[in-house]
Amino acid sequence: MKPKVTLMNLRQAALTVLFVSAAFTSCHAQKRTAQKSAAPATTASAAPSEAEIERKVQALLSQMTLEEKVGQMAQITLDVIGKGENRFTSFEPVMLDKAEMKKALVDYKIGSVLNTANNRALTPQKWHELISEIQQVAMQQTRLKIPVIYGVDEIHGATYTVGATMFPQQIGQAASRNRALVRRGAEVTAYETRASSIPWNFSPVLDLGADPRFPRQFESFGEDPYLVAEMGVATIKGYEGENNNIGHPEHVASNMKHFLGYQIPTSGKDRTPTYLSEEALREYHLPSFKAAVDAGSHTLMVNSGIINGIPVHANHDLLTKLLKEELGFKGLVVTDWADIENLHRRDKVAATDKEAIMLAINAGVDMSMIPYNYEPFCDGLVELVKEGKVKQERVDDAVRRILRVKFALNLFDKPTTNPKDYPKFGSKEFEEASYKMAAESITLLKNEQQLLPLAKKTKVLVTGPNANSMRTLNGAWTYSWQGDKVDEFAAQYNTILEAVQQEIGASNVTYVPGVSYKAGGKYYEEAADKLDEAVAAARNADVILLCLGENTSTEKPGDLSDLYISELQTELARKLAATGKPVVLVLNEGRPRIISRFESQMQAIVQIYQPGNFGGNALADVLFGDVNPSGKLPYTYPRYPNATISYIHKHAEEQAKAEGVYNYEADYNPQFLFGHGLSYTTFSYSDIKLSTEQLQLNEQLTVSVEVSNTGKVAGKEVVHLYTSDLYASNITPDVKRLRRFEKINLKPGEKQTVTFTLSADDLSYTNRSGKKVTEAGDFEIRIGDQVKKFTLVEQAPVKTQNN
Ligand code: BGC
């Protein structure tokens, strides 16, 4: 009989092996293929000045016919020009159809292609061949020889390239609170995207991920506008470089999306109506886009949804007045997939396709992601201009914006890149960046009696539908749109099960799935898979590692009608807990599925989000103490489906906490708070200091706080600074708002002073007419458990949002 392992001795044994720095090299190299050595990459020329680009754009534009201009505004998907039975699929191996190419690129003069073919990843070499052929046609067989701009969704690594380095999805990146790692990830993605000859990336997602029901929350940086803006800017700088020199052969043009207010439809379901006040739109949803415009992002994609009854693709106020005039965005505005057609077919605001084109182009769209039937768009827009329904100047403005990006990308001189110039593609160095990000994103939500970290001699039962799946580690947009082809391409990386086996030896690990996702089924289809055997096996284990969550999905296919984690997974959790063995619940999910029906029976809970190809390794290192977790929730984890309010809310949501008020049941009481995340060490906060308690309008407020590591191991802590406006005259103030954060690293016993600087602008809010106000009055600053009050002594003049 095995000796009884108690919680206490597991913990003590593990502490002896605990160290903080990432144990990348030792722990997870086994399954990967041999790596190429890194050599210097391609050389870059200096970025052309804006004036130089404008001169070139003007010179070209002045030679263009209306048909050539309209062609530049059209974007088709690769299958349209792939050899195949129709426009929707291509034969394998993918080959281009010369006749279709001539029709699209030469006759219709189409200026942009997107996406992969047959919804599956291609090798860098294949990309090179295909895009070279496309560019040859565009640049040799057309009158003006304008290169095509090729765009792909490389949203957590080079999605559609075989062998590329896949990173955690954005939601996990936000949990890391590590701007440098986020930027590094984007640099690697840009490099590998260019290694595939693709210069344009439909990323980052700058939507406020404030609704846990929404099927794309994992694509966002979470529910806080400041966090989204900070991570968004880090990503854009990673893609485009510090000075946005996208002509550099290791950079790509970024695409901020989806402008604006995409992720919060009333129903929680993709592409359904949203009702959003002017105040909320500007206060919560606009800041990330404003920051991205200021950071120089070259392109933007429009929200496919409907705000206040108006499809955003037809909204002149948002696309032209707000984006182009007020924010001063000079880049290219592309539609989302088929969204001009949708104005007619789905939203019924246009009686014909042609009217839909008129609405969208007049609203401010520059390029239509058509993506299949390009003839109605091209013919229709030419006619509309001739009929005077779309002004020639509007078309010229759109084409100018498109050509600007093509020149900035240096596509006229270098229409393709060659994989042989990218020796670091899929390199160990890049994998390490992905691993580090995964390790820092993992968020320890609960750790009763310090069950974690586990000793390496622990007998573990690994179970649950997410335990042995590369697909669920990666999420959608990985080798295919819904992520359903991941297992075909990622077999060389470690699932959670494989990583745990490597970490503690296969003989210490028993694996029984208990529940499995249905292969080839809808993402929510699952079935019991040796459920009783799993429960029986638990009796022989010291600890149960229960890997739950959801299968991968995105967009409409990922819509959800019940936020609770599935019934089968709940049953598995309850039955395992009933064995009396300690359960470590690992959550691997694209959105916080509700776990309150069994959460109290779980001793430890670890959120890994969708951590990418090295997530299994990173998790094993956290579980067994090689890495001290430091992720913090980028969203609020709800406890009940009828209580999905985010941390940004009004005092009326917390009435039970207010003195003298009835003790209402339905109070703000989420499962885990935004910003929550435990460590294997403890931190204490002290000595908060403000440079003044009477702040003048044009003065800076310096705030400092002492943070100490009071535990026994080194650890990283995220220091969050929140402000609260105690009273606001125009609209009711939010309870608190995140204004700054910094991640620091402390050895045991070490203390650090963390200093932040705020200005009066950080204390402003958007009033009911959409104007920015900074009101004199009392405020509170909160860092950890440290709270300090101060007064803003002067009132600022009311401003429009962005002056
Ligand atoms: C998605 C976008 C994506 C586009 C192109 C759309 O369905 O909403 O996020 O960039 O497809 O693949």
Side-chain angles (χ1 to χ4, degrees):
M1 224 177 88
K2 278 189 296 307
K4 192 165 180 284
V5 181
T6 64
L7 297 184
M8 218 37 224
N9 64 31
L10 279 175
R11 163 83 185 146
Q12 272 152 5
L15 278 179
T16 59
V17 297
L18 184 73
F19 62 97
V20 167
S21 67
F24 180 80
T25 39
S26 61
C27 301
H28 55 88
Q30 285 96 325
K31 273 191 82 190
R32 283 174 288 114
T33 47
Q35 300 302 325
K36 292 157 207 129
S37 65
T42 45
T43 47
S45 44
S49 69
E50 252 179 59
E52 213 175 307
I53 289 182
E54 289 311 309
R55 261 197 312 277
K56 288 181 180 170
V57 167
Q58 197 45 46
L60 186 53
L61 191 72
S62 64
Q63 301 172 52
M64 290 172 80
T65 63
L66 176 58
E67 287 75 10
E68 283 165 336
K69 289 175 183 172
V70 166
Q72 286 301 309
M73 296 167 69
Q75 186 182 56
I76 53 172
T77 191
L78 182 57
D79 279 317
V80 171
I81 50 173
K83 257 194 193 141
E85 270 165 23
N86 53 41
R87 285 185 173 182
F88 306 105
T89 54
S90 306
F91 297 136
E92 288 285 350
V94 179
M95 287 201 306
L96 296 171
D97 184 318
K98 292 203 166 28
E100 290 297 335
M101 281 221 284
K102 178 174 175 297
K103 182 174 174 205
L105 305 178
V106 183
D107 301 345
Y108 273 89
K109 304 154 194 10
I110 282 170
S112 183
V113 181
L114 88 148
N115 209 8
T116 184
N118 291 335
N119 182 30
R120 65 185 296 121
L122 302 166
T123 62
Q125 192 52 40
K126 188 71 191 180
W127 276 119
H128 178 63
E129 282 163 31
L130 294 173
I131 296 180
S132 300
E133 220 181 311
I134 291 170
Q135 298 294 32
Q136 270 159 24
V137 173
M139 298 182 77
Q140 287 170 16
Q141 297 178 30
T142 64
R143 191 176 74 93
L144 293 173
K145 308 187 185 339
I146 304 175
V148 154
I149 178 170
Y150 206 107
V152 168
D153 300 84
E154 312 273 61
I155 71 161
H156 70 122
T159 307
Y160 288 124
T161 304
V162 179
T165 311
M166 298 314 303
F167 283 79
Q169 296 278 357
Q170 273 189 210
I171 200 72
Q173 300 192 23
S176 80
R177 300 289 199 276
N178 190 326
R179 297 172 180 90
L181 289 182
V182 170
R183 182 169 176 155
R184 181 69 190 134
E187 284 168 3
V188 169
T189 302
Y191 181 101
E192 295 191 342
T193 300
R194 276 288 191 148
S196 316
S197 288
I198 299 163
W200 186 17
N201 189 1
F202 301 133
S203 172
V205 169
L206 299 183
D207 308 327
L208 195 73
D211 189 334
R213 301 168 302 166
F214 196 72
R216 306 183 74 174
Q217 198 197 27
F218 68 93
E219 294 182 49
S220 81
F221 287 120
E223 72 183 28
D224 180 74
Y226 175 70
L227 178 59
V228 176
E230 289 292 293
M231 293 312 188
V233 168
T235 307
I236 288 162
K237 291 298 180 188
Y239 289 151
E240 298 203 351
E242 186 56 37
N243 301 315
N244 304 82
N245 175 9
I246 55 174
H248 190 296
E250 292 172 12
H251 299 165
V252 291
S254 63
N255 180 270
M256 42 176 149
K257 66 187 189 186
H258 307 81
F259 189 81
L260 186 64
Y262 174 51
Q263 294 218 9
I264 50 145
T266 311
S267 71
K269 300 203 168 118
D270 190 24
R271 292 163 160 93
T272 57
T274 301
Y275 291 90
L276 188 58
S277 70
E278 171 86 2
E279 173 267 320
L281 179 140
R282 286 174 172 273
E283 180 67 21
Y284 308 120
H285 300 272
L286 192 58
S288 57
F289 287 95
K290 173 167 164 43
V293 170
D294 293 347
S297 178
H298 276 82
T299 77
L300 171 142
M301 191 182 293
V302 180
N303 167 7
S304 193
I306 304 137
I307 296 186
N308 302 336
I310 307 168
V312 182
H313 282 82
N315 193 328
H316 183 266
D317 284 347
L318 290 183
L319 300 185
T320 297
K321 283 205 190 139
L322 177 57
L323 174 68
K324 292 182 173 177
E325 293 172 9
E326 191 179 320
L327 295 190
F329 179 60
K330 292 209 178 67
L332 179 178
V333 174
V334 64
T335 71
D336 202 337
W337 189 268
D339 273 322
I340 293 188
E341 277 182 20
N342 280 338
L343 296 178
H344 166 52
R345 288 155 205 243
R346 183 191 73 191
D347 296 330
K348 319 284 182 201
V349 291
T352 60
D353 277 326
K354 189 166 156 187
E355 202 182 317
I357 299 164
M358 179 185 79
L359 285 181
I361 304 300
N362 285 342
V365 161
D366 302 319
M367 182 185 279
S368 173
M369 187 186 286
I370 297 174
Y372 295 109
N373 295 319
Y374 54 85
E375 296 89 339
F377 176 81
C378 295
D379 296 339
L381 185 51
V382 168
E383 283 167 27
L384 285 163
V385 176
K386 288 185 176 156
E387 290 160 11
K389 291 183 177 149
V390 172
K391 291 208 173 77
Q392 181 67 54
E393 300 87 82
R394 177 68 272 275
V395 169
D396 286 351
D397 170 54
V399 177
R400 230 178 246 122
R401 290 166 181 271
I402 294 162
L403 293 179
R404 235 175 240 153
V405 180
K406 290 191 176 187
F407 278 112
L409 280 167
N410 199 24
L411 292 178
F412 289 83
D413 293 335
K414 209 168 166 23
T416 50
T417 42
N418 194 322
K420 74 173 172 44
D421 296 326
Y422 294 82
K424 291 194 204 168
F425 177 90
S427 63
K428 188 146 186 164
E429 177 191 333
F430 286 3
E431 291 186 343
E432 190 158 349
S434 165
Y435 166 83
K436 276 189 184 153
M437 168 90 77
E440 288 212 14
S441 72
I442 292 175
T443 309
L444 179 62
L445 297 176
K446 180 176 179 182
N447 197 14
E448 265 178 18
Q449 297 171 57
Q450 304 191 322
L451 173 63
L452 295 176
L454 301 169
K456 292 195 180 175
K457 60 180 193 319
T458 312
K459 297 269 177 223
V460 180
L461 167 69
V462 177
T463 181
N466 296 55
N468 196 24
S469 163
M470 285 313 303
R471 172 175 173 177
T472 60
L473 286 183
N474 277 289
W477 302 108
T478 314
Y479 313 114
S480 67
W481 177 42
Q482 296 292 315
D484 52 318
K485 300 193 174 90
V486 170
D487 294 323
E488 203 183 308
F489 292 100
Q492 69 270 38
Y493 307 104
N494 293 320
T495 63
I496 295 173
L497 169 67
E498 291 162 339
V500 170
Q501 284 170 333
Q502 286 181 11
E503 182 86 16
I504 60 172
S507 62
N508 281 324
V509 181
T510 307
Y511 169 60
V512 187
V515 174
S516 286
Y517 299 119
K518 210 164 151 194
K522 298 232 165 53
Y523 83 92
Y524 49 81
E525 289 181 321
E526 50 192 56
D529 186 355
K530 302 185 183 147
L531 201 149
D532 294 336
E533 273 179 48
V535 178
R539 302 210 162 85
N540 300 320
D542 302 324
V543 168
I544 302 163
L545 190 63
L546 174 59
C547 305
L548 303 184
E550 53 184 1
N551 207 350
T552 74
S553 67
T554 185
E555 301 191 51
K556 285 305 287 174
D559 278 349
L560 181 72
S561 291
D562 184 358
L563 194 55
Y564 271 113
I565 209 159
S566 77
E567 278 180 34
L568 266 177
Q569 296 190 42
T570 304
E571 182 187 338
L572 179 65
R574 282 176 169 162
K575 285 188 169 161
L576 289 168
T579 64
K581 291 295 168 73
V583 185
V584 177
L585 172 64
V586 173
L587 292 167
N588 171 205
E589 52 192 3
R591 60 199 140 186
R593 301 296 295 267
I594 294 175
I595 54 172
S596 54
R597 286 177 170 152
F598 58 88
E599 178 276 333
S600 63
Q601 298 164 64
M602 307 287 108
Q603 280 67 40
I605 304 178
V606 186
Q607 172 62 274
I608 63 170
Y609 315 95
Q610 293 173 327
N613 278 333
F614 302 97
N617 302 104
L619 174 65
D621 289 342
V622 166
L623 293 174
F624 295 93
D626 296 329
V627 168
N628 190 353
S630 62
K632 301 284 178 183
L633 277 182
Y635 52 61
T636 304
Y637 206 113
R639 192 185 293 271
Y640 301 111
N642 289 8
T644 56
I645 217 84
S646 88
Y647 100 84
I648 299 181
H649 58 255
K650 308 294 184 187
H651 290 275
E653 302 282 358
E654 299 191 15
Q655 299 197 33
K657 293 200 186 96
E659 223 177 302
V661 181
Y662 296 112
N663 188 12
Y664 297 112
E665 274 302 307
D667 202 10
Y668 182 69
N669 181 25
Q671 191 78 66
F672 302 108
L673 295 171
F674 171 86
H676 175 66
L678 303 170
S679 165
Y680 295 153
T681 188
T682 45
F683 298 99
S684 81
Y685 288 72
S686 60
D687 290 327
I688 188 168
K689 288 198 183 85
L690 307 188
S691 55
T692 175
E693 284 171 22
Q694 298 290 313
L695 185 70
Q696 307 291 325
L697 209 48
N698 295 322
E699 215 182 341
Q700 302 255 300
L701 178 66
T702 308
V703 186
S704 68
V705 73
E706 304 283 315
V707 186
S708 314
N709 182 343
T710 49
K712 293 198 175 61
V713 292
K716 291 184 174 165
E717 169 70 338
V718 180
V719 183
H720 292 105
L721 181 154
Y722 294 92
T723 64
S724 303
D725 185 356
L726 299 189
Y727 296 92
S729 72
N730 194 278
I731 56 161
T732 172
D734 292 324
V735 172
K736 63 173 186 175
R737 291 288 297 276
L738 180 67
R739 302 297 183 192
R740 297 286 184 274
F741 64 86
E742 215 48 68
K743 192 166 194 174
I744 59 168
N745 198 355
L746 292 177
K747 295 193 193 80
E750 199 183 345
K751 186 191 237 188
Q752 191 178 318
T753 307
V754 181
T755 306
F756 298 103
T757 310
L758 299 177
S759 70
D761 222 35
D762 292 304
L763 308 171
S764 69
Y765 67 89
T766 309
N767 71 10
R768 63 184 90 142
S769 21
K771 302 274 188 294
K772 215 171 180 185
V773 292
T774 314
E775 287 184 333
D778 292 341
F779 292 82
E780 212 166 67
I781 289 220
R782 182 177 301 269
I783 307 178
D785 59 0
Q786 301 285 296
V787 186
K788 201 100 191 174
K789 282 205 173 76
F790 70 95
T791 306
L792 181 67
V793 293
E794 264 176 278
Q795 189 93 7
V798 173
K799 294 197 228 173
T800 61
Q801 182 85 15
N802 295 297
N803 61 14

